[in-house]
Amino acid sequence: MVASARAFVLRHGRLRPVPGLGGIRLHLADDALQVWHAAQVETGDPDAPIPYWAFAWAGGLALCRYLAEHPEAVAGRRVLDLASGSGLCAIAALEAGASSATAVDIDAHAAAAIGLNARANGRRLTVLRRDILDEDPPDVDVILAGDCWYEAALAGRVTSWLRRARDAGLDVLVGDPGRAYLPTKELVELAVYDVRTTTELDDLDRKEGRVFALARAGG
Ligand SMILES: C[S@@+](CC[C@H](N)C(=O)[O-])C[C@H]1O[C@@H](n2cnc3c(N)ncnc32)[C@H](O)[C@@H]1O
């Protein structure tokens, strides 16, 4: 599956620069529905996940812009990029000077894309392909969470897990374009960026992508 997932990403993604992010290049697709259908056929699974990995999402784009402007948020620190998709935020963290990056996603094609994208940008990172949301907070310094609040069940689990990570002393940075399930009351806004996603599943017009820190309990 690993080799075939890699071949799938190479067949359906074209390496190109990410809008607004200068140097970072990703294997990106143009037509989400076409790639989704191909994934259903290839895996024989009508419930194959949407190919999130094939696009740079607005939340992740905002987070990456923030890291480029504020490298001190991650420089010299161990970073985990939750729901990494293409690996974009993990790669941006390494570009900003993170000492290590771990990219986590449950999707086999995402795991393959993250590895290919890291290599295309001359970066080394660790890829974890599993659901860690019921596990203890990881042994890192900073967690990045880009565009995870688009679906109620996932949003609830992500928010609870991030709270636990924060309570364990980790810094949590969130990037989001105003998704329905974002827990805004618990977030401290750090920056707003005009971003343009690469997927027609979102509207392709410019969006406001916001970057937040998860506030300390009682703070
Ligand atoms: C909208 S994409 C965001 C990707 C990337 N962070 C960005 O901003 O471009 C959401 C990602 O969450 C992943 N995902 C969904 N459930 C997950 C879980 N329980 N653990 C880790 N990743 C998950 C999906 O596979 C998908 O790649």
Side-chain angles (χ1 to χ4, degrees), residues 52 55-57 60 83-85 105-107 131 133 146-147 150 154 157:
Y52 294 106
F55 305 96
W57 294 84
S84 187
D105 204 290
I106 52 171
D107 178 9
D131 188 328
L133 296 177
D147 231 315
Y150 54 93
L154 175 63
R157 293 185 66 220

Side-chain angles (χ1 to χ4, degrees), residues 4-187:
S4 66
R6 225 179 273 131
F8 185 88
V9 169
L10 291 171
R11 207 159 51 243
H12 293 282
R14 187 164 55 81
L15 192 61
R16 62 189 111 159
V18 180
L21 287 184
I24 299 181
R25 296 185 308 153
L26 299 175
H27 292 85
L28 299 173
D30 292 312
D31 184 340
L33 295 182
Q34 184 257 320
V35 181
W36 194 9
H37 178 66
Q40 290 166 329
V41 170
E42 166 129 340
T43 59
D45 178 4
D47 296 324
I50 293 171
Y52 294 106
W53 59 266
F55 305 96
W57 294 84
L61 287 166
L63 206 38
C64 293
R65 294 269 296 278
Y66 182 81
L67 296 181
E69 276 181 15
H70 300 276
E72 68 280 2
V74 290
R77 309 181 77 197
R78 301 164 299 164
V79 171
L80 182 139
D81 177 21
L82 180 69
S84 187
S86 63
L88 176 62
C89 295
I91 293 167
L94 291 168
E95 301 250 320
S99 59
S100 67
T102 301
V104 182
D105 204 290
I106 52 171
D107 178 9
H109 289 146
I114 292 164
L116 288 164
N117 288 331
R119 188 185 305 176
N121 289 279
R123 299 290 170 186
R124 275 169 182 269
L125 45 67
T126 302
V127 184
L128 279 188
R129 189 204 153 201
R130 66 167 195 268
D131 188 328
I132 62 169
L133 296 177
D134 295 320
E135 299 179 12
D136 288 338
D139 188 20
V140 299
D141 305 302
V142 186
I143 295 181
L144 306 176
D147 231 315
C148 303
W149 285 270
Y150 54 93
E151 200 244 315
L154 175 63
R157 293 185 66 220
V158 166
T159 302
S160 308
W161 187 77
L162 291 178
R163 276 191 207 117
R164 285 177 62 199
R166 172 207 57 199
D167 293 347
L170 280 59
D171 285 347
V172 175
L173 292 174
V174 164
D176 186 89
R179 304 277 183 220
Y181 305 104
L182 188 73
T184 44
K185 288 202 178 93
E186 296 180 57
L187 299 173

